[in-house]
Amino acid sequence: MTRPRLMIPGPIEFTDEVLDAMSQPTPGHVDPTFIPIFGQALRDLRSVFQAGEAYQPFILAGSGTLAMDSAVANLVEPGDRVLVLDTGYFSQRMADICRRYGGEVDVLSVAPGDTVTAAQLQARLDQASYRLVTITHVDTSTGVLTDVPDLTAAAKAAGSLVVVDGVCAAAGEEMWQEDWDVDIYLTASQKAVGVPPGLALLVASPAALAKWRERKAPVASYYSDWGLWLPVMQAYEGGRPAYFATPAVNLVMALGVSLRQILAEGMDRVFARHRLVGDAFQAGIASLGLGQVPTHRSHAAHTLSCPRYPQNVDATSLLPRVRAAGAILAGGLHPAIRNEYFRIGHMGAITRSDVLSTLGAVEAGLRGAGYAVEPGVALAAAQAVMEAAAD
Ligand SMILES: *Cc1c(COP(=O)(O)O)cnc(C)c1O
């Protein structure tokens, strides 16, 4: 029996090689065969984020939320002022985490579907100085892509550290951590990085590490404390084992395989492929007469799409039918518009046939739900985008 494809914004479909690594006999975490795998995964994570040697990668057992927790627990001290650029659901989570560690949080919010501009950020920076500015690279609840280099430049010029939640963007959307001067870039294994859920991934800049070293207050989270993890990461990268808490051995082996696959394709090609797939989905959805949550194409993500339901169609009438036609999609997530849209994840090892089969399933689901669409309209629109790029 063929299973439907998992086309949600994480977890995604994984490559056969990654799944093979998951099913290998588990070596001990200090086994001589495992040490170089962990060390190489750390180096490769740096390469995927396009950060230099002075940047410190961390690979932790946990989800993306742990990566957020680790960044904030180590960089925010009680009383530190933090500005959260709020484009949706996960920005609010970042604000909550900053408050939990004693940060004095200001939130710059925009309407769902809008992005934050550098001018809006500058207006806030002119009024107050912030220890930390947080940005969500792709907001998974709205499909909004923020302009990380522009926003980061404004925040850094004002003397802030910049934390970017790249959970729905890393290894999909263009990212140059060092060139763009991003202090923390973070993600989770199950999104575009292409490994089953269970790893929190982050890379810290020299400035972030310096801020952490100057802390007066101890890090309030035991498990997130870089003081306990740094010697472990440095040891494995140096070819020696170390122990603080047992790494997720099979997940790290699978991560090693996936990062190699991403780097073998090449970051420029990975970004271009995601742009093309994103554009193909945009065209397909538009051809069906559906609106989308991002208010302008120029800030629509390439890793997921957020189409609006047509009249008289909702999650209950559409999503089970799309699933029966071969693709599992996600419902809305942003609390203010949750029932108005659905989400299609299209990141990682996605192929052209995934694009076409998913759009075909959406078409079939819409027809079943009573919305008249001519068979093949979205496929033709997506094909046109992909063929134009193939020349
Ligand atoms: C998925 C996601 C998270 C949370 O990751 P978990 O692995 O579910 O903890 C955080 N931020 C963004 C942008 C995400 O897409």
Side-chain angles (χ1 to χ4, degrees), residues 344-366:
I344 309 171
H346 36 77
M347 59 188 123
I350 183 170
T351 62
R352 285 175 181 222
S353 60
D354 292 329
V355 176
L356 298 174
S357 65
T358 302
L359 285 169
V362 171
E363 282 189 358
L366 285 169

mmCIF file of all heavy atoms in Angstrom, residues 344-366:
data_model
loop_
_atom_site.group_PDB
_atom_site.id
_atom_site.type_symbol
_atom_site.label_atom_id
_atom_site.label_comp_id
_atom_site.label_asym_id
_atom_site.label_seq_id
_atom_site.Cartn_x
_atom_site.Cartn_y
_atom_site.Cartn_z
ATOM 1 N N ILE A 344 1.060 23.914 3.603
ATOM 2 C CA ILE A 344 1.748 22.876 2.842
ATOM 3 C C ILE A 344 3.249 23.073 3.076
ATOM 4 O O ILE A 344 3.787 24.135 2.768
ATOM 5 C CB ILE A 344 1.474 23.013 1.325
ATOM 6 C CG1 ILE A 344 -0.035 23.109 1.037
ATOM 7 C CG2 ILE A 344 2.112 21.843 0.565
ATOM 8 C CD1 ILE A 344 -0.354 23.466 -0.421
ATOM 9 N N GLY A 345 3.897 22.057 3.633
ATOM 10 C CA GLY A 345 5.353 22.131 3.791
ATOM 11 C C GLY A 345 6.006 21.634 2.511
ATOM 12 O O GLY A 345 5.561 20.642 1.923
ATOM 13 N N HIS A 346 7.034 22.336 2.032
ATOM 14 C CA HIS A 346 7.752 21.852 0.838
ATOM 15 C C HIS A 346 9.234 22.169 0.969
ATOM 16 O O HIS A 346 9.767 23.027 0.290
ATOM 17 C CB HIS A 346 7.144 22.389 -0.462
ATOM 18 C CG HIS A 346 6.626 23.798 -0.398
ATOM 19 N ND1 HIS A 346 7.440 24.892 -0.433
ATOM 20 C CD2 HIS A 346 5.365 24.275 -0.298
ATOM 21 C CE1 HIS A 346 6.702 25.992 -0.382
ATOM 22 N NE2 HIS A 346 5.435 25.648 -0.287
ATOM 23 N N MET A 347 9.857 21.440 1.890
ATOM 24 C CA MET A 347 11.282 21.689 2.147
ATOM 25 C C MET A 347 12.048 20.378 2.215
ATOM 26 O O MET A 347 11.462 19.301 2.281
ATOM 27 C CB MET A 347 11.432 22.473 3.447
ATOM 28 C CG MET A 347 10.858 21.783 4.668
ATOM 29 S SD MET A 347 10.872 22.885 6.102
ATOM 30 C CE MET A 347 9.145 22.902 6.546
ATOM 31 N N GLY A 348 13.376 20.513 2.211
ATOM 32 C CA GLY A 348 14.232 19.333 2.313
ATOM 33 C C GLY A 348 14.343 18.631 0.978
ATOM 34 O O GLY A 348 14.389 19.271 -0.074
ATOM 35 N N ALA A 349 14.343 17.304 1.035
ATOM 36 C CA ALA A 349 14.604 16.514 -0.176
ATOM 37 C C ALA A 349 13.357 16.407 -1.050
ATOM 38 O O ALA A 349 13.014 15.333 -1.545
ATOM 39 C CB ALA A 349 15.109 15.128 0.213
ATOM 40 N N ILE A 350 12.680 17.514 -1.255
ATOM 41 C CA ILE A 350 11.445 17.493 -2.045
ATOM 42 C C ILE A 350 11.774 17.433 -3.540
ATOM 43 O O ILE A 350 12.735 18.044 -4.005
ATOM 44 C CB ILE A 350 10.574 18.725 -1.711
ATOM 45 C CG1 ILE A 350 9.246 18.664 -2.472
ATOM 46 C CG2 ILE A 350 11.313 20.031 -1.976
ATOM 47 C CD1 ILE A 350 8.250 19.698 -2.019
ATOM 48 N N THR A 351 10.981 16.668 -4.277
ATOM 49 C CA THR A 351 11.232 16.507 -5.710
ATOM 50 C C THR A 351 10.127 17.214 -6.511
ATOM 51 O O THR A 351 9.092 17.585 -5.961
ATOM 52 C CB THR A 351 11.195 15.022 -6.100
ATOM 53 O OG1 THR A 351 9.878 14.520 -5.833
ATOM 54 C CG2 THR A 351 12.202 14.210 -5.294
ATOM 55 N N ARG A 352 10.385 17.332 -7.822
ATOM 56 C CA ARG A 352 9.349 17.904 -8.696
ATOM 57 C C ARG A 352 8.088 17.077 -8.673
ATOM 58 O O ARG A 352 6.977 17.594 -8.776
ATOM 59 C CB ARG A 352 9.863 17.973 -10.120
ATOM 60 C CG ARG A 352 10.835 19.091 -10.282
ATOM 61 C CD ARG A 352 11.395 19.019 -11.682
ATOM 62 N NE ARG A 352 12.343 20.088 -11.817
ATOM 63 C CZ ARG A 352 12.442 20.856 -12.883
ATOM 64 N NH1 ARG A 352 11.690 20.641 -13.932
ATOM 65 N NH2 ARG A 352 13.311 21.825 -12.919
ATOM 66 N N SER A 353 8.246 15.753 -8.579
ATOM 67 C CA SER A 353 7.028 14.944 -8.591
ATOM 68 C C SER A 353 6.245 15.143 -7.287
ATOM 69 O O SER A 353 5.021 15.054 -7.292
ATOM 70 C CB SER A 353 7.334 13.474 -8.854
ATOM 71 O OG SER A 353 8.172 12.975 -7.879
ATOM 72 N N ASP A 354 6.934 15.466 -6.177
ATOM 73 C CA ASP A 354 6.204 15.806 -4.949
ATOM 74 C C ASP A 354 5.351 17.061 -5.159
ATOM 75 O O ASP A 354 4.232 17.159 -4.656
ATOM 76 C CB ASP A 354 7.171 16.085 -3.789
ATOM 77 C CG ASP A 354 7.922 14.844 -3.326
ATOM 78 O OD1 ASP A 354 7.356 13.743 -3.421
ATOM 79 O OD2 ASP A 354 9.069 14.987 -2.870
ATOM 80 N N VAL A 355 5.930 18.031 -5.866
ATOM 81 C CA VAL A 355 5.191 19.278 -6.121
ATOM 82 C C VAL A 355 3.910 18.953 -6.887
ATOM 83 O O VAL A 355 2.811 19.369 -6.507
ATOM 84 C CB VAL A 355 6.044 20.281 -6.938
ATOM 85 C CG1 VAL A 355 5.237 21.528 -7.282
ATOM 86 C CG2 VAL A 355 7.326 20.645 -6.186
ATOM 87 N N LEU A 356 4.060 18.171 -7.954
ATOM 88 C CA LEU A 356 2.906 17.890 -8.813
ATOM 89 C C LEU A 356 1.889 16.997 -8.113
ATOM 90 O O LEU A 356 0.681 17.239 -8.185
ATOM 91 C CB LEU A 356 3.376 17.261 -10.124
ATOM 92 C CG LEU A 356 4.283 18.180 -10.949
ATOM 93 C CD1 LEU A 356 4.837 17.439 -12.164
ATOM 94 C CD2 LEU A 356 3.559 19.450 -11.379
ATOM 95 N N SER A 357 2.385 15.979 -7.402
ATOM 96 C CA SER A 357 1.422 15.076 -6.754
ATOM 97 C C SER A 357 0.688 15.798 -5.624
ATOM 98 O O SER A 357 -0.507 15.580 -5.407
ATOM 99 C CB SER A 357 2.119 13.808 -6.248
ATOM 100 O OG SER A 357 3.038 14.127 -5.242
ATOM 101 N N THR A 358 1.380 16.694 -4.926
ATOM 102 C CA THR A 358 0.721 17.412 -3.834
ATOM 103 C C THR A 358 -0.341 18.363 -4.392
ATOM 104 O O THR A 358 -1.472 18.420 -3.888
ATOM 105 C CB THR A 358 1.755 18.199 -2.996
ATOM 106 O OG1 THR A 358 2.723 17.273 -2.506
ATOM 107 C CG2 THR A 358 1.092 18.918 -1.836
ATOM 108 N N LEU A 359 0.013 19.102 -5.438
ATOM 109 C CA LEU A 359 -0.976 20.016 -6.023
ATOM 110 C C LEU A 359 -2.151 19.230 -6.609
ATOM 111 O O LEU A 359 -3.310 19.661 -6.525
ATOM 112 C CB LEU A 359 -0.320 20.908 -7.091
ATOM 113 C CG LEU A 359 0.554 22.032 -6.511
ATOM 114 C CD1 LEU A 359 1.372 22.696 -7.615
ATOM 115 C CD2 LEU A 359 -0.293 23.084 -5.775
ATOM 116 N N GLY A 360 -1.851 18.065 -7.166
ATOM 117 C CA GLY A 360 -2.933 17.221 -7.683
ATOM 118 C C GLY A 360 -3.868 16.782 -6.562
ATOM 119 O O GLY A 360 -5.098 16.777 -6.725
ATOM 120 N N ALA A 361 -3.283 16.436 -5.406
ATOM 121 C CA ALA A 361 -4.107 16.024 -4.259
ATOM 122 C C ALA A 361 -4.938 17.204 -3.744
ATOM 123 O O ALA A 361 -6.091 17.032 -3.342
ATOM 124 C CB ALA A 361 -3.205 15.466 -3.159
ATOM 125 N N VAL A 362 -4.357 18.411 -3.764
ATOM 126 C CA VAL A 362 -5.105 19.599 -3.326
ATOM 127 C C VAL A 362 -6.285 19.838 -4.273
ATOM 128 O O VAL A 362 -7.418 20.084 -3.834
ATOM 129 C CB VAL A 362 -4.188 20.846 -3.267
ATOM 130 C CG1 VAL A 362 -4.995 22.120 -3.036
ATOM 131 C CG2 VAL A 362 -3.131 20.676 -2.164
ATOM 132 N N GLU A 363 -6.027 19.728 -5.561
ATOM 133 C CA GLU A 363 -7.113 19.890 -6.547
ATOM 134 C C GLU A 363 -8.242 18.888 -6.289
ATOM 135 O O GLU A 363 -9.418 19.251 -6.231
ATOM 136 C CB GLU A 363 -6.586 19.655 -7.966
ATOM 137 C CG GLU A 363 -5.810 20.806 -8.552
ATOM 138 C CD GLU A 363 -5.526 20.572 -10.046
ATOM 139 O OE1 GLU A 363 -5.907 19.496 -10.572
ATOM 140 O OE2 GLU A 363 -4.927 21.462 -10.673
ATOM 141 N N ALA A 364 -7.858 17.628 -6.122
ATOM 142 C CA ALA A 364 -8.870 16.583 -5.906
ATOM 143 C C ALA A 364 -9.647 16.853 -4.622
ATOM 144 O O ALA A 364 -10.876 16.711 -4.587
ATOM 145 C CB ALA A 364 -8.183 15.211 -5.843
ATOM 146 N N GLY A 365 -8.920 17.265 -3.567
ATOM 147 C CA GLY A 365 -9.582 17.564 -2.289
ATOM 148 C C GLY A 365 -10.571 18.709 -2.429
ATOM 149 O O GLY A 365 -11.682 18.666 -1.894
ATOM 150 N N LEU A 366 -10.162 19.753 -3.138
ATOM 151 C CA LEU A 366 -11.047 20.914 -3.327
ATOM 152 C C LEU A 366 -12.307 20.516 -4.081
ATOM 153 O O LEU A 366 -13.424 20.910 -3.707
ATOM 154 C CB LEU A 366 -10.301 22.021 -4.096
ATOM 155 C CG LEU A 366 -9.257 22.812 -3.293
ATOM 156 C CD1 LEU A 366 -8.404 23.675 -4.233
ATOM 157 C CD2 LEU A 366 -9.912 23.694 -2.224
#
